[in-house]
């Protein structure tokens, strides 16, 4: 049972002296505010992982902040729309060698070993349930509904401007800050210029909340051939859209995912030891190829008879005509009720409010 698993894990943590006594000296800001040892911005998967790692090292005055409400941290139940995780279930996850903390242990405690053997890839929503449990059993100090808006140097380290969900503002003092803010923490949704005037009711980006129930019987266009684009196309079809047309600039469907060549232990351990120019060369090689959409996602979309794929069809212009959007491609036009942009993200360090002041000082590979 899950209760028995939690008892086993609690014993393992006690044997490992978790959490150890804090060793960083207490500190106060000049105005008397307490100074945190570390503040982690982001309570998603990586924010939880780094918080557990810090607590194991005796970092006691730790705050973990997330702008979302509890249980909605990260993308898993917001804009991630695949049925299962992309990765195989044999990966052990963020457990630091603790078998009782693995997803497999959590799953088997509830459904049994036989169910695990037939599970396949991990259901996306179930992964969120697991992360909620992970936070609970490790007693990680996540504060929900708190947004980081600015970072400033201070004598004690940093001052952080925070806005709470109820509107209360706070200036938090900390020695160190870790940004676990995910994709949104360094980028913005990429919006093709022809669609910018129509964002809102009839055009959404895949990173937005989308009410798919409103698309019942509607004609929908989805821009992009990546995993997220096809995930959203599938959601529209499953919700009852009348017709979904996937529009892709590429003349062919990519079939090989070059990034799969880097997900093994040798790469993980060896990559940091390479000279910078070789690290950049390898990453540039992988990024220069279009990533193939997952096979099961392609099948999820095109099992529907009312799904269509237009290749080599970049949208040149968009205009409103009779309450619908008319999309012009080099070969033909398409009239639809709604558009979903699966056009990804553009790296833009000015996009997140907390980095705007510092973006000019941050070097990238382009420098």
């Amino acid at each position: 049972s899950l209760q028995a698993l939690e008892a086993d894990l609690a014993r393992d943590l006690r044997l490992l002296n978790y959490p150890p006594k804090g060793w960083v000296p207490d500190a106060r800001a000049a105005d008397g505010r307490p100074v945190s040892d570390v503040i982690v911005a982001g309570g998603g998967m990586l924010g939880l992982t780094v918080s557990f790692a810090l607590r194991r090292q005796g970092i006691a005055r730790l705050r973990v902040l997330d702008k979302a409400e509890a249980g909605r941290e990260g993308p898993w139940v917001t804009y991630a729309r695949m049925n299962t995780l992309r990765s195989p279930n044999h990966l052990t996850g963020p457990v630091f060698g603790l078998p009782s903390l693995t997803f497999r242990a959590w799953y088997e405690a509830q459904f049994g070993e036989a169910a695990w053997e037939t599970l396949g890839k991990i259901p996306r929503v179930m992964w969120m349930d697991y992360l909620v449990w992970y936070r609970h059993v490790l007693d990680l100090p996540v504060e929900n509904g708190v947004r980081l808006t600015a970072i400033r140097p201070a004598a004690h380290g940093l001052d952080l401007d925070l806005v709470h969900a109820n509107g209360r503002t706070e200036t938090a003092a900390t020695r160190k800050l870790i940004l676990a803010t995910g994709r949104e923490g360094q980028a913005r949704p990429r919006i093709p210029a022809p669609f910018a005037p129509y964002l809102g009711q009839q055009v959404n980006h895949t990173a937005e909340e989308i009410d798919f129930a409103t698309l019942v019987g509607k004609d929908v266009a989805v821009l992009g051939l990546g995993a997220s684009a096809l995930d959203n196309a599938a959601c529209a079809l499953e919700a009852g859209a009348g017709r979904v047309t996937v529009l892709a600039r590429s003349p062919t469907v990519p079939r090989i995912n070059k990034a799969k060549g880097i997900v093994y232990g040798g790469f993980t351990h060896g990559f940091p030891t390479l000279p910078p120019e070789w690290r950049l060369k390898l990453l540039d090689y992988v990024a220069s190829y279009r990533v193939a959409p997952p096979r099961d996602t392609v099948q999820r979309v095109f099992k529907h008879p009312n799904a269509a794929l237009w290749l080599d069809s970049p949208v040149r212009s968009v205009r409103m005509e009779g309450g619908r959007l008319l999309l012009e491609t080099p070969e033909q036009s398409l009239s639809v009720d709604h558009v979903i942009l699966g056009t990804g993200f553009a790296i833009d360090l000015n996009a997140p409010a907390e980095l705007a002041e510092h973006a000019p000082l941050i070097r990238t590979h382009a420098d």
Side-chain angles (χ1 to χ4, degrees), residues 212 215-220 233 235-244 306:
F212 288 94
L215 303 182
V216 174
K218 301 288 183 66
D219 291 332
V220 179
C235 287
L237 289 159
E238 291 161 1
R243 183 171 180 80
V244 174
N306 54 333

Side-chain angles (χ1 to χ4, degrees), residues 24 53 62 92 183-184 190 192 203 208-209 214 225 230 232 243 250 286 293 313 355 359 362:
V24 181
L62 172 68
T92 55
R183 188 170 290 160
E184 305 98 291
R190 185 181 284 111
V203 176
E208 296 180 66
E209 294 273 2
T214 64
L225 199 52
L230 293 187
N232 280 262
R243 183 171 180 80
S250 173
V286 170
S313 298
L355 288 185
I362 299 173

Side-chain angles (χ1 to χ4, degrees), residues 204-270:
N204 293 111
H205 190 274
T206 55
E208 296 180 66
E209 294 273 2
I210 299 176
D211 185 358
F212 288 94
T214 64
L215 303 182
V216 174
K218 301 288 183 66
D219 291 332
V220 179
V222 177
L223 257 69
L225 199 52
S228 291
L230 293 187
D231 287 336
N232 280 262
C235 287
L237 289 159
E238 291 161 1
R243 183 171 180 80
V244 174
T245 304
V246 177
L247 297 158
R249 293 176 301 175
S250 173
T252 59
V253 178
R255 289 168 171 78
I256 297 175
N257 185 353
K258 290 285 186 178
K260 287 295 183 184
I262 67 175
V263 290
Y264 65 97
F267 187 93
T268 303
H269 292 288

Side-chain angles (χ1 to χ4, degrees), residues 85-127:
L85 303 193
R86 314 281 189 209
S87 48
N89 66 8
H90 63 76
L91 299 179
T92 55
V95 300
F96 295 92
L98 289 167
S100 297
L101 190 57
T102 60
F103 176 89
R104 178 173 181 173
W106 176 84
Y107 184 87
E108 288 185 354
Q110 298 171 90
F111 308 107
E113 292 184 24
W116 171 261
E117 295 301 328
T118 60
L119 176 65
K121 292 180 179 178
I122 297 170
R124 166 180 56 84
V125 175
M126 188 174 282
W127 180 252

